[in-house]
Amino acid sequence: MGEAILHGHRVSYRTAGEGPVVLLIHGITGDSRQWNQIIPLLADRYTVLAPDLLGHGQSAKPRGDYSLGAYAVSLRDLLIVLGHRRATVVGHSLGGGIAMQFSYEYPVFCERLVLVDSGGLGPEVHPLLRAATLPGAELVLPLIAHSRLHVVGDAIGHALGRLGLELGHDLAEMIRGYASLSDAEARRAFLHTVRAVIDLGGQRVNATDRLYLAQMIPTLIVWGRRDPLIPVEHATVAHRGIPGSRLEIFDDAGHFPQLEQPVRFVRMLIDFIESTGPAAFEFSDQDLNMLRERMLKRGRKSR
């Protein structure tokens, strides 16, 4: 465990190993513990860095900007403070949206992009998250986060998991996430975060119009076919939108393939890293011209 102060705010993180950096970004209501099963498996080869995003886990929960852009810049600043120049960026759920924003805004820091059941690829999302955008959600969340409800719900989730039902893993993680909202500051940060990317109609932040730019960075897309929160069809959208990307579907997994099948997940991630050369943009004149030509080409196609 480590801690950094970024612009006056505490950022907690987990780190292990030595070598090229792998940055792991969790999803909404989650924290760095969701990567605990895979961190030791990666640490033999890489420097693994898994922060608690601001508003989550042990990190500060200030009243402030919880947009994807704000999260992306905080991760860039964390890399700088810790002395890392580049990283393979792995984002799960909301973290996938942040990872895409990071690669788009700060390509000089991004060697590879890995999207795991990622947000930001279409409007469809579970109604439970859409409901959090409704007026009055502030009054309901404390009831949902009540500890007694989570004792029962957690037991149900574990029982379903032991029966081999993928919903059990997803339910257990959702329960743990909502349990974290018993703290008023965490609830406020959650509402700011979810309302920055979702409204009653679904996800309103959509990266599909910029996916073509990600082809300049080696990209892996991972999805659980039984994901009840974000449909697996979004994986196909991303794969088609990013020429040269790889697509891996975990047929028996839900929203958390890294938790349900950690060994397979790590093997796949290592193979992807070892079999691809890292992007190495310096924004030289050549890099700038290449980016400009891609954008102009897409603009001509859109006319």
Side-chain angles (χ1 to χ4, degrees), residues 195-249:
R195 288 169 176 173
V197 294
I198 295 173
D199 60 21
L200 193 56
Q203 297 187 75
R204 62 186 182 87
V205 176
N206 194 329
T208 55
D209 60 344
R210 299 186 182 98
L211 286 178
Y212 69 99
L213 294 175
Q215 67 183 290
M216 298 184 293
I217 298 172
T219 301
L220 170 65
I221 302 153
V222 185
W223 225 278
R225 188 177 299 280
R226 300 178 183 272
D227 188 340
L229 299 181
I230 305 176
V232 67
E233 288 77 15
H234 290 197
T236 304
V237 170
H239 183 47
R240 289 175 178 170
I242 307 174
S245 62
R246 298 187 190 181
L247 175 61
E248 293 284 344
I249 302 296

Side-chain angles (χ1 to χ4, degrees), residues 117-190:
D117 293 69
S118 175
L121 295 167
E124 295 82 9
V125 70
H126 196 279
L128 189 61
L129 289 172
R130 295 203 303 269
T133 68
L134 289 170
E138 298 88 343
L139 304 177
V140 177
L141 280 177
L143 302 177
I144 297 175
H146 196 284
S147 60
R148 291 181 182 176
L149 294 179
H150 293 120
V151 170
V152 176
D154 202 26
I156 294 171
H158 285 301
L160 291 174
R162 285 196 298 271
L163 292 173
L165 300 176
E166 294 77 11
L167 178 61
H169 299 281
D170 291 329
L171 181 60
E173 282 304 311
M174 290 171 66
I175 289 165
R176 276 190 282 270
Y178 275 97
S180 71
L181 302 181
S182 59
D183 175 74
E185 289 184 339
R187 287 198 300 274
R188 183 180 64 194
F190 165 75

Side-chain angles (χ1 to χ4, degrees), residues 77-95:
D77 292 347
L78 181 62
L79 289 175
I80 292 172
V81 165
L82 298 180
H84 302 313
R85 291 186 59 85
R86 292 189 176 91
T88 292
V89 182
V90 183
H92 171 251
S93 197
L94 170 75

Side-chain angles (χ1 to χ4, degrees), residues 34 37-38 41 116 164 166 169 222-226 248-269:
Q34 290 183 338
Q37 293 187 66
I38 74 168
L41 303 178
V116 185
E166 294 77 11
H169 299 281
V222 185
W223 225 278
R225 188 177 299 280
R226 300 178 183 272
E248 293 284 344
I249 302 296
F250 285 41
D251 287 330
D252 298 324
H255 189 63
F256 298 88
Q258 75 274 28
L259 293 176
E260 297 175 49
Q261 299 181 37
V263 173
R264 178 186 171 188
F265 185 91
V266 167
R267 287 175 176 169
M268 175 198 60
L269 181 57

